[in-house]
Amino acid sequence: MLRVAVVGSGPSGVYTAQSLVQRDPEVLVDVLDRLPCPYGLVRYGVAPDHEKIKSLQHSLRTVLEHERVRFLGGVRIGADGLSVARLRELYHAVVYCVGAASDRRLGVPGEELAGSWSATDFVSWYSAHPDAVAAGDGFVRDVRTAVVVGVGNVAVDVTRMLARGAAELSPTDMPQAALGALSASGVTEIQMVGRRGPSQARFTTKELRELGGLPDTEVIVDEAELASDPAYGDPSALPAAQRRNVEVLRGWAAAPTRGARRRIRLRFFLRPVELLPVEGRVGAVRLERTAPDGRGGVTGTGRYEDVEAQLVLRSVGYRGVPVEGLPFDADSGTVPHAAGRVLRGGEVAPGEYVAGWIKRGPTGVIGSNRPCAKETATSVLEDAPVLARRRLPDDPLDSLRAMGAEPVQWAGWLAIERAEAALGASLGRGVVKLPDWAALRAAAGSADGSRTAHASVDPSHPADRPS
Ligand code: NAP
């Protein structure tokens, strides 16, 4: 048998596990995650109102319930956890599918002001990530106008969540505190700002179009602002995805305003140069008007506009985080690899692999992880005859326990699911996510046959670290 550890239980990790066990009956896979909950960004990134995408969890689940796949949550690899070298000793092969856990910076003065957040912070909060900043209702309290920087799908997600009302949010699994805050919010205007032109926006048309269907909300596009994009006037030569985006924007630009309660303004050719304070918090964003440079980029024009904003969400892309003990290319935020095989000093490191965003950068939709995972699984299986010669300890789970970790197994996760259903029922809602480590630990620890939850959820947590 070939024993493989997959680190990370998001789509790339689960698709890697699936590809391995489907293609080779001699493979056993442990899917490790630092959280006690599986599914990565499908659980903690996909917006709560995107139930259809969220339902992907059902197909990921069947993989994690496969007889040769085992979920081991609450195991951190790297700094403050099990070292990469030790993990390598426990398995014939280790595939890192750790995603891109951080966010890119704007690099402008005022970025650190209160009220300026990365979109990742905001998403983690409404997704009940246990490491989310404890902002309470601080994201939206006293906010009338918000600026979202960036025109990718995450920018569309956070814009939509700001514009949604209680009736649409309460059927979701959003944590109760975020539901209360967003339902009560007085945000009436959201400006989503792109530094380049409409034909260069990164959002996908389906997501863009959804903004036009939000209750009590209208989308406003100023044709004059978009017109300096040559492809705006005649989008026919654009690739289909961009052409459709431009067509949707043109439709909105041509529509009369309706005077709806909330407005989403889609702005282009504006780049943030500074966040301006009012009474110690962000009060406005200074934007510089840009112009196309004819090579796909833009140049500044020296003309500025200040847009009022009590909330700024910086949605300018994710960034990979190094795993201690693994090579890392800081420029791309990825691990150097050849067809998924980790390269150390340019040479293949036997038995170490990557898949997903840590391999190719934070781009693409969930389905993009399938071919990416398949390529890596192919490399693992090609190398298997040599890798499988190494003798291993009997069961890595015993070794993990001997080292003080107490992984949350599938029964623990199922107990968390039951606790979330019970919480929702007690609130008169559907499933409602548990929002913090303590609740997750308690729920996981209540699983039949599981050991007590102490030290079981996150060995990196000070209270849980074995002494
Ligand atoms: P993204 O698609 O890379 O978009 C980042 C945006 O930030 C771009 O508009 C980019 O503009 C802008 N930007 C970057 N640096 C900037 C700066 N310094 N100043 C101003 N603007 C800046 O990233 P994302 O939205 O985080 O999405 C990540 C991935 O997840 C994407 O592949 C996305 O499709 C996917 N995703 C999909 C869904 C869905 O399918 N529903 C939902 C969420 C996320 P430039 O183009 O000019 O660099």
Side-chain angles (χ1 to χ4, degrees):
M1 285 300 228
L2 184 82
R3 273 198 184 275
V4 181
V6 168
V7 182
S9 65
S12 61
V14 176
Y15 290 149
T16 301
Q18 182 176 36
S19 190
L20 287 167
V21 294
Q22 272 182 352
R23 289 158 69 192
D24 190 334
E26 296 292 307
V27 176
L28 293 176
V29 181
D30 281 349
V31 178
L32 279 55
D33 203 295
R34 78 182 185 87
L35 297 177
C37 313
Y39 311 136
L41 277 185
V42 175
R43 177 172 162 91
Y44 287 119
V46 171
D49 63 336
H50 272 176
E51 280 99 1
K52 192 151 171 243
I53 309 181
K54 286 243 172 245
S55 70
L56 255 175
Q57 291 186 9
H58 301 311
S59 59
L60 301 182
R61 176 186 199 106
T62 55
V63 178
L64 293 176
E65 290 182 336
H66 186 283
E67 58 186 0
R68 281 181 288 115
V69 177
R70 187 167 57 172
F71 173 71
L72 300 177
V75 182
R76 185 189 283 258
I77 309 301
D80 294 333
L82 183 65
S83 76
V84 161
R86 189 76 185 98
L87 183 64
R88 178 77 189 84
E89 287 168 14
L90 302 182
Y91 293 89
H92 292 118
V94 182
V95 188
Y96 291 90
C97 303
V98 294
S102 186
D103 46 84
R104 302 220 305 248
R105 309 287 300 163
L106 272 183
V108 301
E111 192 167 3
E112 308 299 336
L113 282 170
S116 158
W117 301 92
S118 75
T120 325
D121 288 330
F122 187 59
V123 170
S124 294
W125 171 67
Y126 67 57
S127 302
H129 194 293
D131 288 340
V133 286
D137 64 351
F139 284 102
V140 287
R141 194 190 312 128
D142 301 329
V143 175
R144 300 177 305 280
T145 306
V147 165
V148 176
V149 180
V151 283
N153 275 334
V154 172
V156 175
D157 275 348
V158 297
T159 297
R160 196 180 66 252
M161 295 308 289
L162 283 172
R164 286 235 186 257
E168 303 138 72
L169 294 175
S170 48
T172 72
D173 64 5
M174 167 178 285
Q176 191 68 4
L179 172 68
L182 288 174
S183 302
S185 110
V187 176
T188 53
E189 173 142 334
I190 306 147
Q191 301 216 17
M192 195 170 126
V193 183
R195 61 182 173 180
R196 297 192 291 158
S199 67
Q200 293 149 326
R202 304 276 187 97
F203 41 60
T204 42
T205 312
K206 184 166 168 283
E207 278 60 32
L208 176 66
R209 212 176 259 140
E210 207 180 343
L211 294 178
L214 299 175
D216 299 333
T217 303
E218 65 184 327
V219 181
I220 297 178
V221 176
D222 175 4
E223 185 140 34
E225 191 169 80
L226 283 65
S228 56
D229 184 339
Y232 181 75
D234 177 12
S236 58
L238 288 172
Q242 283 76 31
R243 194 189 67 241
R244 284 195 295 264
N245 280 347
V246 169
E247 284 165 359
V248 171
L249 291 167
R250 282 166 59 111
W252 284 331
T257 52
R258 291 183 279 119
R261 196 163 71 80
R262 273 188 293 263
R263 290 169 302 284
I264 296 173
R265 286 184 199 275
L266 299 182
R267 313 283 316 268
F268 292 92
F269 293 116
L270 289 168
R271 69 179 175 206
V273 292
E274 188 172 357
L275 272 53
L276 307 171
V278 171
E279 292 170 5
R281 293 179 52 84
V282 70
V285 183
R286 178 155 297 164
L287 301 164
E288 182 182 18
R289 170 73 52 205
T290 62
D293 64 4
R295 299 186 304 277
V298 286
T299 50
T301 63
R303 285 184 286 125
Y304 299 90
E305 175 182 338
D306 292 351
V307 173
E308 180 195 319
Q310 298 80 38
L311 169 68
V312 175
L313 296 176
R314 309 175 312 259
S315 182
V316 295
Y318 291 95
R319 193 163 50 88
V321 174
V323 175
E324 192 177 271
L326 266 195
F328 187 71
D329 174 42
D331 289 338
S332 61
T334 59
V335 171
H337 73 96
R341 295 179 177 93
V342 171
L343 298 176
R344 289 184 181 269
E347 301 289 322
V348 167
E352 292 181 309
Y353 304 84
V354 279
W357 280 1
I358 198 65
K359 171 185 174 187
R360 58 175 212 279
T363 58
V365 291
I366 293 171
S368 318
N369 289 298
R370 272 191 185 279
C372 176
K374 193 170 174 201
E375 180 193 55
T376 297
T378 301
S379 295
V380 174
L381 296 176
E382 280 173 6
D383 300 346
V386 173
L387 296 173
R389 282 186 208 145
R390 190 160 55 93
R391 248 189 94 75
L392 298 179
D394 279 350
D395 184 350
L397 184 54
D398 296 335
S399 306
L400 289 171
R401 285 184 173 141
M403 286 181 284
E406 188 54 49
V408 172
Q409 297 194 61
W410 197 244
W413 160 243
L414 295 179
I416 290 173
E417 280 193 323
R418 284 195 299 276
E420 294 190 333
L423 174 62
S426 74
L427 295 165
R429 296 174 58 197
V431 167
V432 173
K433 278 177 171 170
L434 300 175
D436 54 52
W437 281 105
L440 291 169
R441 281 193 187 97
S446 72
D448 290 344
S450 85
R451 307 196 182 178
T452 52
H454 85 274
S456 69
V457 171
D458 182 2
S460 71
H461 191 277
D464 285 345
R465 222 170 274 150
S467 52

